[in-house]
Amino acid sequence: MDATVLGASAPNGLPTKSPAVHIEPASSSPEHLPSTNAETEIRHTSEPDDIREHPTAVSPPVNGAHAVSSARRKDHYQPVDDAYSTRFATKCHPDAAAVRAELDAFFGEHWPWPSDNAREKFLEADLHGFVCWAYPFARSDRIVDSAKVMTLFFLLDDLVEEELSLEDGKALYKRLITLAEGRAQPDRTSPHEWITYDVFAKMRAVDQDLTEAVTRGMTLCVTSQLDEERERSTGMRALLQQRCKEAGASFISTLMAYGLDLRLSPSEVASITDIEESYAKLGIVVNEITSYDKEVRSFNPNQAGGGTVLNMVQTQADDTGCSVAAAKRILWVLCREWELEHLDLVARREASSDGCSDTLKAYMKGLEYIMGGNEVWSGYTPRYQLSS
């Protein structure tokens, strides 16, 4: 099947239209709410909170240029480090507690931890929680394998960054890609190899076409992480483009399609290129902001990643001469502006004369849940946050 083919129909319960705007606590129904996580439903209003609170502001036009009349400005700007809330709905998968229990036990037993402390750090990081927040409507028979392959991805990323040279990292990923594709048999004495082989073999048995798309997305991601050009990505635009590849935007979206069993036609894929790019840059900038402090604290110039802190917060501060705190605030505002633009892109695609299938609507809504869930998870995981 064509590489661009991504499920048969939208999963039951997955909203496909952008709702209209207020924030309310979600239902506490146990069939939708995992026991270990709170759930928040965020519905989009027609105007941002700061405009609604000030009757002197003009109504935002349909094209997304939400602006306040220049003749009626607010009081002087005061820096506030608390970012505005995301407009994207957030929800945790109802099987989150069971997923965590199963994967904590699996990786806790089988992964070759260098120390007990490393194992405990893994258990605290809730790596599989990312999938439960990003794919809240994934099928129950696919959520565990989706979380397992994402957790594997995180652990391999740590291994290559912290323990291997650039060349050794390339050799490992080259070998693991052949195993993920099913083109070689694993060394059963190597957990890196047999876990990679087994999880992808199981996914292929469930859905070969969508698993192959996931494998291609992962390959793009890991090869970009070890690209020697990454250190030469200077300036915000170049660094953003590099980050979108190495952070796995394609890998994450194809894994979402696998989990929800969504298949897009080649023409549908081609019609949302701008929406995919929008989703990718939003997710990576949120990650850059939330992980910056820990990244600086743990920075080691001798790691495979190179001798500089490659983070857009630092780049923004360097390029503009502002403080790191100001750079974070600027990037948060940029993310909120991009959210408005993203919703406009989706609205235009849904209203297109080319038509918009329910599957495509479900896919675009799935991207929104990835972005909202990523922000929730990034805000609490010890992988990005400094311990108190």
Side-chain angles (χ1 to χ4, degrees):
M1 187 172 287
D2 192 285
T4 57
V5 176
L6 297 177
S9 61
N12 291 335
L14 178 62
T16 57
K17 292 192 178 291
S18 299
V21 180
H22 65 282
I23 299 177
E24 60 183 22
S27 168
S28 59
S29 170
E31 64 182 12
H32 297 297
L33 182 63
S35 59
T36 57
N37 289 292
E39 171 188 331
T40 302
E41 293 285 358
I42 301 179
R43 289 176 167 68
H44 310 308
T45 54
S46 59
E47 17 179 84
D49 292 343
D50 59 335
I51 292 181
R52 292 203 316 279
E53 292 171 358
H54 299 275
T56 57
V58 298
S59 298
V62 176
N63 65 5
H66 300 264
V68 176
S69 170
S70 60
R72 297 175 176 176
R73 296 187 181 278
K74 299 180 182 180
D75 294 335
H76 294 299
Y77 166 77
Q78 295 293 334
V80 177
D81 289 333
D82 292 335
Y84 285 102
S85 298
T86 178
R87 288 172 172 269
F88 299 129
T90 60
K91 176 181 174 66
C92 194
H93 197 282
D95 296 341
V99 170
R100 177 166 191 167
E102 180 170 342
L103 294 192
D104 278 354
F106 177 85
F107 284 101
E109 177 182 356
H110 297 299
W111 194 255
W113 303 107
S115 66
D116 289 341
N117 183 57
R119 182 180 181 276
E120 289 304 313
K121 285 175 62 178
F122 161 75
L123 296 176
E124 293 172 359
D126 188 30
L127 299 183
H128 25 66
F130 170 79
V131 165
C132 293
W133 280 104
Y135 313 145
F137 294 97
R139 288 171 44 160
S140 293
D141 60 344
R142 298 191 181 195
I143 186 64
V144 171
D145 287 335
S146 298
K148 184 178 287 187
V149 75
M150 183 63 72
T151 302
L152 173 66
F153 171 80
F154 281 134
L155 292 174
L156 290 172
D157 179 56
D158 291 343
L159 174 68
V160 170
E161 182 177 351
E162 297 172 6
E163 300 181 33
L164 302 182
S165 67
L166 184 64
E167 291 306 314
D168 288 343
K170 288 181 177 179
L172 175 65
Y173 275 142
K174 182 178 180 179
R175 168 66 176 165
L176 295 183
I177 288 169
T178 65
L179 295 173
E181 294 173 340
R183 295 188 289 113
Q185 291 296 311
D187 175 358
R188 287 287 168 180
T189 66
S190 168
H192 306 136
E193 292 200 8
W194 72 257
I195 292 175
T196 299
Y197 180 88
D198 285 1
V199 67
F200 278 96
K202 185 177 179 182
M203 290 172 64
R204 277 198 306 276
V206 172
D207 195 317
Q208 181 169 345
D209 296 323
L210 293 180
T211 300
E212 288 178 355
V214 172
T215 306
R216 287 189 292 273
M218 186 187 72
T219 300
L220 173 63
C221 176
V222 298
T223 53
S224 298
Q225 288 177 344
L226 296 174
D227 186 352
E228 295 180 6
E229 292 294 320
R230 71 193 300 265
E231 281 195 81
R232 291 189 278 276
S233 299
T234 58
M236 286 294 291
R237 184 175 182 82
L239 183 56
L240 180 60
Q241 291 173 336
Q242 175 66 22
R243 276 294 199 232
C244 285
K245 291 188 295 183
E246 66 186 50
S250 176
F251 169 52
I252 294 168
S253 61
T254 54
L255 191 58
M256 178 267 289
Y258 170 86
L260 274 69
D261 192 20
L262 298 175
R263 303 172 198 278
L264 302 184
S265 69
S267 61
E268 286 178 318
V269 172
S271 74
I272 58 169
T273 301
D274 53 353
I275 293 173
E276 293 268 18
E277 292 175 350
S278 173
Y279 133 81
K281 68 183 182 183
L282 261 164
I284 189 56
V285 173
V286 168
N287 287 355
E288 296 284 280
I289 299 169
T290 53
S291 66
Y292 175 79
D293 292 341
K294 186 166 186 178
E295 198 172 330
V296 171
R297 177 77 62 86
S298 60
F299 174 63
N300 178 359
N302 296 319
Q303 289 175 180
T308 59
V309 177
L310 293 175
N311 185 291
M312 280 185 282
V313 172
Q314 190 65 57
T315 300
Q316 175 72 20
D318 292 343
D319 285 357
T320 63
C322 68
S323 67
V324 165
K328 290 180 181 179
R329 291 193 293 269
I330 291 168
L331 291 177
W332 274 125
V333 172
L334 180 61
C335 287
R336 299 316 180 215
E337 290 287 343
W338 279 346
E339 286 183 4
L340 295 172
E341 292 183 0
H342 184 92
L343 293 172
D344 282 342
L345 290 172
V346 171
R348 290 194 198 103
R349 181 61 190 85
E350 290 182 342
S352 169
S353 60
D354 294 334
C356 188
S357 69
D358 288 343
T359 299
L360 180 55
K361 291 176 183 177
Y363 182 86
M364 293 188 294
K365 180 57 65 175
L367 295 180
E368 293 181 26
Y369 275 102
I370 291 175
M371 290 183 283
N374 174 61
E375 187 164 327
V376 172
W377 180 79
S378 297
Y380 76 77
T381 175
R383 183 176 182 83
Y384 291 162
Q385 301 298 315
L386 289 169
S387 58
S388 58

